[in-house]
Amino acid sequence: MMTMTRRWFSLLAFTILASVTLQAQKTTVKGAFLEKWDNSLKYLVAIAEAMPEEHFEYKPMPREMSFIQQLIHIQENIDWVATKYFDADNRGVSIVENDKKRTIENLKHSFKNARKAIVNTKESNLDEVVGFFAGPKSKYQILNLLQDHVTHHRGQLIVYLNLMEIEPPAYVGW
């Protein structure tokens, strides 16, 4: 009886360990980034959608970028990083000031274009060190900087919504 219990326990332990090992193998640096990247797009679009178009020129202080300028700045940075460091093709993006719909479409296009370029980057190439204006960085570091830049400006957009007494959308990102 005890032998059967030990065998069952050993089989259960092996199954759990194998499951955890397989799950760990599925989680790659690129995979983790892309999951976060997709959520980042959803959250940014929800924030952009929350601001009425008539307030897209709103800026809390003269020295600040307007709401739409923040969105365009995010998009331009994505395009630059994806093209320079991940071989993205950014044709088809146009900058149109004062147009909510087109700005959101451009953001979606840029996020998806960057995503495609990152998917096409081999995991082993993320260790490659490249020249960056802030000094040499690995492509892995560039991915972190890319997401950090989006997060930084998205945080500013949330403040803009709050100052306009518009409730920001619930966080998307887990």
Side-chain angles (χ1 to χ4, degrees):
M1 183 85 164
M2 189 61 135
T3 304
M4 187 60 120
T5 302
R6 283 185 187 160
R7 285 184 186 167
W8 184 85
F9 181 74
S10 294
L11 180 60
L12 179 62
F14 174 79
T15 303
I16 291 170
L17 181 61
S19 175
V20 168
T21 301
L22 286 174
Q23 185 60 38
Q25 289 174 352
K26 290 180 186 177
T27 303
T28 62
V29 167
K30 214 165 64 167
F33 174 84
L34 292 169
E35 180 181 350
K36 179 66 181 154
W37 190 245
D38 293 343
N39 288 333
S40 188
L41 170 60
K42 290 176 196 169
Y43 193 33
L44 183 59
V45 167
I47 288 168
E49 292 285 1
M51 180 67 89
E53 187 165 11
E54 62 267 19
H55 298 300
F56 258 49
E57 289 297 329
Y58 172 74
K59 58 170 94 175
M61 301 285 293
R63 69 177 183 260
E64 299 292 333
M65 289 186 276
S66 69
F67 192 87
I68 193 170
Q69 288 169 330
Q70 293 273 7
L71 293 170
I72 291 169
H73 175 71
I74 292 168
Q75 184 229 323
E76 288 175 332
N77 181 261
I78 292 168
D79 291 342
W80 172 69
V81 169
T83 302
K84 183 161 178 80
Y85 300 102
F86 296 98
D87 299 323
D89 176 10
N90 286 322
R91 289 178 290 198
V93 175
S94 65
I95 305 300
V96 180
E97 293 274 349
N98 303 320
D99 184 274
K100 178 178 179 173
K101 181 180 177 192
R102 183 64 181 163
T103 300
I104 293 170
E105 287 173 6
N106 284 343
L107 279 167
K108 289 177 182 178
H109 175 81
S110 293
F111 264 82
K112 290 176 183 174
N113 195 40
R115 184 186 207 291
K116 180 180 176 186
I118 293 163
V119 164
N120 291 333
T121 301
K122 292 179 182 177
E123 189 89 24
S124 60
N125 289 352
L126 294 178
D127 289 332
E128 178 186 352
V129 176
V130 295
F132 193 69
F133 74 91
K137 304 285 181 216
S138 70
K139 287 189 176 184
Y140 173 70
Q141 288 174 299
I142 300 289
L143 288 180
N144 284 328
L145 293 168
L146 179 61
Q147 181 59 54
D148 189 53
H149 184 263
V150 172
T151 302
H152 167 72
H153 289 285
R154 189 177 57 220
Q156 291 177 307
L157 294 171
I158 291 169
V159 171
Y160 287 24
L161 290 175
N162 280 311
L163 290 171
M164 294 293 298
E165 297 186 16
I166 299 168
E167 185 174 342
Y171 179 68
V172 176
W174 306 111

